[in-house]
Amino acid sequence: MSGNESGIRASRRRVLSTVAGTGVAAIGALASKYGVSDAAALDAIDEISLGTFESSLEEWRPEGDLALSRVGRDERPVAVTEGEYALEAAVDGETEPVISRSVTDLDLATHPYFVADVTPGRLAGTDARVAFQCRLYRSTDLLADGSTGEPVAESDPVTVPQATPGRLYWDASDVDFGLLDAVSRLEIGWYPTDGDPADGTVAARGDVVVDDVRATASVDAVGSARLAATMRDLQFDRGPYVRTEVTETFDGGEAGAFVFADGETEPYRFETVGADRYLLAVADAEIEFGEGWS
């Protein structure tokens, strides 16, 4: 094996180690091919937990007409992803359901990547996907307790099918940190995608379960969540992943296609773009892994 090929495989092995546990069929197959197991050792990722809900609601509170409670793994085994409990938000007619908590001690310059496991239940009157978004607020009153403020940044929507576990992710590393000197609150909001919540006509009725909310110092958490969502959507449209076809290798990477059960293929390209920085392009998504992106 040439040094170049060895380097490519070593780089990809690190990326696959990061995502091997996400349940992505294509990545799982590649990981197996190159001897990477789900239990592969990873460098420690600096994380700040913002909610695992094992003993309390952990400062999360409702914004609007909804009720919060803890739900156990025995009741929602798929939705509870960390420990034995998660947060359940029950909504009955709220047009813009939101939960929030104080994050006054969070340093966005060091932990700009957010992820949360989200599982919408069945919503009454619609089969549409559910769109989730994060927002950050800063206080407009330094004497306030964080309950007031103005929005300074929000994520793009991440859509999840009803009754299906998904992951909300947000790379906030490109937000102007000058705007975030006094961040006071993190919000998570959601709405069915068959309407615009801003016009007040979309009323959500049902429940959403949220678990393992965290801010991290590594883009890997966001990258693996984006990849899992991308592959989930591809397999929803095209059937199960069947195999990977490598059609090109080059200095620092490779290109090819994922093949699905309907016979269709989806091109991918993996490349090393810098010291410990890797880019995986698939289905119009450019997914970052490694360090030094922010």
Side-chain angles (χ1 to χ4, degrees):
M1 180 187 303
S2 69
N4 179 55
E5 183 179 359
S6 176
I8 292 172
R9 292 192 178 185
S11 298
R12 182 169 54 186
R13 186 174 296 113
R14 181 193 182 286
V15 175
L16 295 179
S17 297
T18 301
V19 301
T22 65
V24 180
I27 300 304
L30 282 172
S32 175
K33 177 181 178 181
Y34 288 96
V36 181
S37 69
D38 288 356
L42 298 176
D43 294 335
I45 296 177
D46 187 9
E47 292 187 340
I48 296 176
S49 175
L50 300 174
T52 58
F53 312 105
E54 290 305 288
S55 60
S56 70
L57 298 183
E58 299 194 34
E59 301 183 47
W60 287 91
R61 62 189 184 188
E63 302 288 339
D65 186 15
L66 61 160
L68 302 187
S69 61
R70 292 164 62 235
V71 63
R73 185 179 294 276
D74 56 339
E75 300 172 77
R76 301 292 294 272
V78 174
V80 178
T81 59
E82 177 69 21
E84 296 301 319
Y85 292 91
L87 177 68
E88 183 177 50
V91 186
D92 187 13
E94 176 62 44
T95 58
E96 294 185 76
V98 169
I99 59 175
S100 71
R101 64 155 286 170
S102 172
V103 289
T104 54
D105 295 331
L106 180 62
D107 184 353
L108 268 298
T110 60
H111 293 78
Y113 307 106
F114 294 87
V115 288
D117 294 332
V118 291
T119 306
R122 292 292 184 188
L123 300 186
T126 178
D127 293 326
R129 290 188 175 209
V130 180
F132 291 85
Q133 283 184 282
C134 288
R135 299 181 187 90
L136 284 170
Y137 285 72
R138 65 177 176 182
S139 177
T140 54
D141 182 352
L142 295 180
L143 298 179
D145 62 359
S147 61
T148 61
E150 60 181 2
V152 293
E154 69 176 11
S155 69
D156 292 331
V158 175
T159 64
V160 180
Q162 293 184 35
T164 303
R167 182 163 291 171
L168 172 61
Y169 53 87
W170 183 19
D171 177 354
S173 63
D174 59 351
V175 174
D176 181 355
F177 291 128
L179 297 174
L180 305 177
D181 288 341
V183 167
S184 62
R185 190 168 87 245
L186 171 68
E187 281 190 355
I188 296 176
W190 61 93
Y191 57 90
T193 58
D194 56 354
D196 182 358
D199 63 18
T201 60
V202 178
R205 290 183 171 83
D207 65 82
V208 165
V209 176
V210 179
D211 202 4
D212 199 16
V213 187
R214 58 198 189 277
T216 86
S218 172
V219 74
D220 286 348
V222 170
S224 61
R226 288 194 68 195
L227 180 57
T230 298
M231 294 303 297
R232 179 199 65 209
D233 291 346
L234 286 171
Q235 292 183 94
F236 181 83
D237 293 335
R238 301 178 179 183
Y241 159 83
V242 175
R243 64 183 182 278
T244 297
E245 295 180 346
V246 179
T247 57
E248 178 188 5
T249 59
F250 49 87
D251 186 19
E254 69 174 47
F258 298 139
V259 182
F260 296 89
D262 65 356
E264 294 294 318
T265 62
E266 184 65 39
Y268 77 92
R269 180 182 177 90
F270 171 81
E271 59 184 318
T272 303
V273 295
D276 199 28
R277 284 190 295 164
Y278 314 103
L279 189 66
L280 178 64
V282 58
D284 297 324
E286 291 191 342
I287 303 171
E288 300 169 350
F289 297 96
E291 306 297 335
W293 288 98
S294 61

